[in-house]
């Protein structure tokens, strides 16, 4: 395990330099096991380090699946058992042998797993939304991909795990835009939790909106909107004031989607905002590399609203 820890953490030390992935429609996932025949993965950009399972301080009144707390470099963080959350671990079974320290949506969490395998690079176009999956863990799986050796890997929906364990982020009072009914936002996110929260923000702003559930669907719909605008003698900017994209999505990620939008002259003048649980400097650099106009970390409703508000105000002609 020590060798694995050193190897993986050496890879994580260079993760901030991986901006070359921007626009390649590829991502790197860390493979791990929960002690079953299933194989799981998580985006490397969400993992800060890997270690052996540390001593965990048990605390009362913790949400289901939270085993307790640990102190990590002066910070106290909760530790979750992924096996218990996905209902794959029998009651009384020992905790997993490894812990992944994750950082996303402005939260640092420890995820207990049975064992960690390795990091692999996968093409987003080979990543699909789960279909006809009867496993009790389906709720927490955002996508499935196949490795060259034929193994199927379930990619975790960590946003849903966070919301299910600690509750949804609360959307407070957001002042509406005076001309909101004239504004239209197109957004795309593969997480049902994120779509629900984005909808709440846009509804409070009083703007019209449409959405898609993955990057490829979004690109096809946007091209359809552009084609229709051409046919009726209008511009796309007359139909859409702002496009909000997630970073991680099956079939086409947000970086490729943004690059496609920015390369198509029909979308000139329409700002693209990336809204992602990946909040590191590397991910911001990747967004800048493909031309996003702003990058907002999930999920802070006030920051999202105040980021897009001036863009929508500026967009009214």
């Amino acid at each position: 395990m020590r060798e694995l820890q050193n190897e993986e953490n050496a890879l994580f030390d260079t993760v901030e330099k991986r901006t070359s992935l921007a626009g390649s429609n590829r991502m790197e996932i860390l493979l791990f096991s929960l002690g079953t025949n299933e194989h799981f993965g998580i985006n490397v950009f969400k993992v800060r380090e890997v270690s052996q399972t540390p001593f965990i301080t048990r605390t009362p009144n913790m949400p289901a699946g939270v085993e307790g707390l640990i102190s990590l470099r002066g910070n106290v963080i909760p530790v979750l058992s992924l096996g218990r959350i996905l209902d794959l671990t029998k009651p009384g079974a020992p905790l997993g042998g490894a812990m992944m320290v994750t950082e996303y949506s402005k939260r640092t969490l420890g995820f207990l797993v049975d064992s960690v395998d390795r990091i692999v690079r996968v093409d987003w176009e080979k990543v699909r939304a789960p279909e006809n999956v009867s496993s009790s863990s389906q709720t927490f799986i955002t996508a499935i991909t196949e490795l060259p050796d034929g193994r199927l890997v379930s990619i975790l929906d960590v946003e849903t795990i966070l919301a299910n364990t600690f509750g949804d982020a609360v959307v407070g009072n957001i002042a509406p835009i005076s001309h909101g009914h004239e504004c239209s936002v197109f957004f795309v996110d593969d997480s049902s939790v994120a779509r629900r929260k984005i909808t709440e923000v846009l509804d409070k702003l009083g703007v019209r909106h449409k959405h898609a559930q993955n990057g490829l669907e979004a690109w096809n719909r946007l091209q359809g909107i552009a084609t229709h605008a051409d046919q009726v003698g209008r511009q796309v900017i007359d139909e859409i004031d702002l496009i909000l994209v997630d970073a991680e999505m099956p079939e086409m990620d947000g970086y490729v989607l943004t690059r496609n939008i920015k390369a198509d002259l029909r979308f000139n003048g329409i700002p693209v905002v990336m809204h992602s649980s990946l909040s590191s400097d590397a991910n911001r650099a990747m967004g800048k590399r493909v031309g996003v106009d702003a990058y907002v970390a999930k999920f802070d409703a006030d920051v999202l609203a105040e980021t897009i508000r001036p863009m929508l105000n500026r967009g009214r002609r």
Side-chain angles (χ1 to χ4, degrees):
M1 180 67 201
R2 185 176 301 276
E3 292 180 0
L4 173 62
Q5 178 181 345
N6 292 337
E7 176 183 348
E8 299 296 356
N9 289 340
L11 289 170
F12 296 139
D13 287 341
T14 65
V15 76
E16 298 294 335
K17 302 175 182 178
R18 292 177 173 176
T19 57
S20 61
L21 284 179
S24 69
N25 209 36
R26 292 184 293 175
M27 74 163 175
E28 290 176 323
I29 59 175
L30 175 62
L31 303 179
F32 61 91
S33 168
L34 295 178
T36 67
N37 292 328
E38 298 176 77
H39 306 283
F40 296 91
I42 183 173
N43 193 322
V44 164
F45 278 107
K46 288 188 170 82
V47 183
R48 201 163 75 185
E49 61 184 87
V50 172
S51 71
Q52 292 179 311
T53 297
F55 174 78
I56 300 171
T57 301
R58 304 278 183 173
T59 52
N61 304 318
M62 280 290 183
V66 180
E67 297 298 328
L69 304 172
I70 64 168
S71 177
L72 185 70
R73 299 181 187 86
N75 297 313
V76 176
I77 67 171
V79 178
L80 288 66
S81 169
L82 285 183
R84 300 195 198 285
I85 289 174
L86 273 63
D87 198 24
L88 296 175
T89 301
K90 295 180 180 179
L95 299 178
M99 182 182 72
M100 303 183 301
V101 177
T102 65
E103 189 170 27
Y104 64 97
S105 296
K106 301 182 178 180
R107 295 286 296 267
T108 302
L109 306 170
F111 282 165
L112 297 180
V113 300
D114 188 70
S115 61
V116 173
D117 187 355
R118 66 187 189 280
I119 292 174
V120 297
R121 185 168 291 188
V122 299
D123 295 326
W124 270 117
E125 63 185 16
K126 295 180 180 178
V127 177
R128 297 285 185 267
E131 297 178 3
N132 302 319
V133 179
S134 58
S135 168
S136 59
S137 61
Q138 179 183 8
T139 303
F140 303 107
I141 302 304
T142 189
I144 294 176
T145 190
E146 184 176 357
L147 300 181
D149 61 10
R151 285 188 295 168
L152 293 178
V153 177
S154 298
I155 300 174
L156 289 187
D157 184 345
V158 291
E159 293 164 19
T160 296
I161 290 174
L162 182 63
N164 187 77
T165 304
F166 297 102
D168 278 348
V170 176
V171 177
N173 294 325
I174 295 175
I177 297 175
S178 59
H179 57 273
H181 63 284
E182 300 176 7
C183 300
S184 179
V185 173
F186 185 95
F187 72 89
V188 52
D189 202 298
D190 66 318
S191 168
S192 59
V193 172
R195 291 196 300 272
R196 183 169 67 249
K197 290 304 173 184
I198 293 169
T199 296
E200 285 188 55
V201 171
L202 297 179
D203 285 346
K204 286 179 179 289
L205 287 172
V207 303
R208 295 177 289 116
H209 51 82
K210 300 177 181 178
H211 74 270
Q213 298 187 22
N214 66 59
L216 183 59
E217 178 193 348
W219 181 233
N220 290 336
R221 291 191 63 184
L222 287 169
Q223 286 188 305
I225 292 171
T227 298
H228 181 262
D230 286 342
Q231 292 171 345
V232 298
R234 292 170 61 84
Q235 294 182 311
V236 181
I237 202 169
D238 297 321
E239 309 292 335
I240 302 173
D241 294 279
L242 183 142
I243 300 173
L244 186 66
V245 304
D246 185 21
E248 305 171 274
M249 294 180 289
E251 300 188 62
M252 179 185 291
D253 67 21
Y255 302 108
V256 171
L257 175 60
T258 299
R259 186 186 64 189
N260 289 348
I261 293 169
K262 292 298 183 178
D264 192 326
L265 296 180
R266 296 176 297 178
F267 295 95
N268 277 359
I270 301 176
V272 177
V273 176
M274 182 163 282
H275 182 232
S276 174
S277 60
L278 302 172
S279 54
S280 70
D281 290 341
N283 294 106
R284 293 178 182 274
M286 289 168 71
K288 183 177 181 181
R289 185 185 180 112
V290 295
V292 299
D293 297 278
Y295 192 106
V296 181
K298 291 178 182 174
F299 185 81
D300 189 318
D302 292 332
V303 172
L304 176 59
E306 295 313 307
T307 298
I308 66 177
R309 185 189 300 277
M311 295 180 177
L312 294 172
N313 282 326
R314 190 168 60 240
R316 284 296 93 197
R317 296 159 294 282

